[in-house]
Amino acid sequence: MLFFTQCFGAVLDLIHLRFQHYKAKRVFSAAGQLVCVVNPTHSLKYAATRCAAAQASTEQGVLPPCHHHEAVHDPQLVPCTCPLFSCPWEGHLEVVVSHLRQTHRINILQGAEIVFLATDMHLPAPTDWIIMHSCLGHQFLLVLRKQEKYEGHPQFFATMMLIGTPTQANNFTYRLELNRNQRRLKWEATPRSILECVDSVISDGDCLVLNTSLAQLFSDNGSLAIGIAITTSKVHSSEAEM
């Protein structure tokens, strides 16, 4: 009976996943768009102290360490950029993607345009939905967070971070689009560098912000489909032509 129950539960999960994927394909039917179904994860930390230290270190031109240590750190080392965990890992920027995929099991999609389908939007805050997006020779980290910025009033925050330097981030523009029931909402901005703290970007409001009622207008049975597109900035393109 135990074996049967476990197998039956696995089959139901697979059916649910396929159903969510079908709904996203139905909403975003444009050819070439890839759909990634992202399950929620409750955030295991809120590192306000770490973010404050990270912001101060960035202003001084030094990359922040993950934790406070008396030993001198190599300024080229980057702390773990996954916003879900207080991870003690440090490494060079070029191996951040490998760490996120292998240690934190974050999925990655490739393509100019993808669909990010966040499930179970009704779960209490704080909750995160995260994927990586590989495009134009770079990797980006999309973070959708449900968080109570004001007590009793949860909001949804979506931002795109480039796994690279701030100079590289300025070369790109990302667009997040919600489209359902003859309603369309777009957010377009320059991605922030992963060297900046995700929490500080969200607290500053420099991202797509949805209150609960607005999120419900675009959700479908508790799932929110977000279309993602990344392009090179116009300034960068004109410089390349010159």
Side-chain angles (χ1 to χ4, degrees):
M1 289 293 296
L2 180 61
F3 176 78
F4 175 78
T5 302
Q6 291 177 343
C7 291
F8 184 68
V11 171
L12 287 180
D13 290 340
L14 180 60
I15 293 175
H16 177 72
L17 183 65
R18 294 294 297 176
F19 178 67
Q20 296 288 354
H21 186 277
Y22 169 75
K23 289 196 300 181
K25 293 287 285 184
R26 177 167 51 86
V27 174
F28 290 85
S29 57
Q33 285 188 313
L34 301 176
V35 178
C36 183
V37 179
V38 185
N39 295 320
T41 304
H42 283 285
S43 183
L44 300 181
K45 63 93 181 175
Y46 262 90
T49 303
R50 173 184 170 187
C51 288
Q55 185 176 1
S57 300
T58 302
E59 292 175 354
Q60 297 173 2
V62 180
L63 297 181
C66 189
H67 296 288
H68 295 288
H69 298 289
E70 295 181 358
V72 178
H73 284 263
D74 183 347
Q76 294 183 347
L77 292 181
V78 182
C80 176
T81 54
C82 184
L84 294 175
F85 307 100
S86 294
C87 177
W89 178 89
E90 289 181 335
H92 292 278
L93 189 60
E94 58 268 19
V95 296
V96 169
V97 174
S98 298
H99 170 73
L100 293 177
R101 296 196 66 184
Q102 296 174 7
T103 303
H104 300 299
R105 305 297 181 184
I106 297 179
N107 294 327
I108 185 168
L109 284 184
Q110 297 184 0
E113 296 185 7
I114 65 174
V115 176
F116 177 97
L117 183 65
T119 66
D120 300 322
M121 302 293 295
H122 61 278
L123 291 178
T127 304
D128 289 319
W129 294 260
I130 300 176
I131 62 166
M132 283 192 292
H133 182 189
S134 179
C135 180
L136 300 174
H138 290 78
Q139 283 73 40
F140 301 82
L141 189 71
L142 177 69
V143 179
L144 173 65
R145 174 172 297 171
K146 184 178 183 180
Q147 177 177 319
E148 288 189 358
K149 196 167 185 179
Y150 304 100
E151 186 176 357
H153 298 280
Q155 294 177 300
F156 294 90
F157 303 86
T159 186
M160 181 74 76
M161 311 287 288
L162 172 72
I163 302 179
T165 65
T167 302
Q168 292 173 323
N170 289 332
N171 294 329
F172 299 97
T173 299
Y174 75 94
R175 185 181 74 248
L176 305 179
E177 180 176 340
L178 304 176
N179 189 355
R180 185 173 182 269
N181 291 338
Q182 298 181 345
R183 299 180 179 90
R184 179 173 295 179
L185 180 64
K186 290 184 180 181
W187 167 268
E188 187 171 293
T190 299
R192 304 284 285 271
S193 168
I194 203 69
L195 300 181
E196 305 176 58
C197 188
V198 175
D199 298 307
S200 63
V201 174
I202 291 177
S203 63
D204 292 341
D206 187 17
C207 56
L208 174 64
V209 182
L210 304 172
N211 58 30
T212 303
S213 59
L214 190 58
Q216 289 177 348
L217 287 176
F218 290 97
S219 64
D220 184 11
N221 293 326
S223 297
L224 187 67
I226 304 177
I228 307 171
I230 301 177
T231 58
T232 55
S233 63
K234 295 181 179 179
V235 174
H236 178 66
S237 298
S238 60
E239 290 178 353
E241 292 176 359
M242 294 176 62

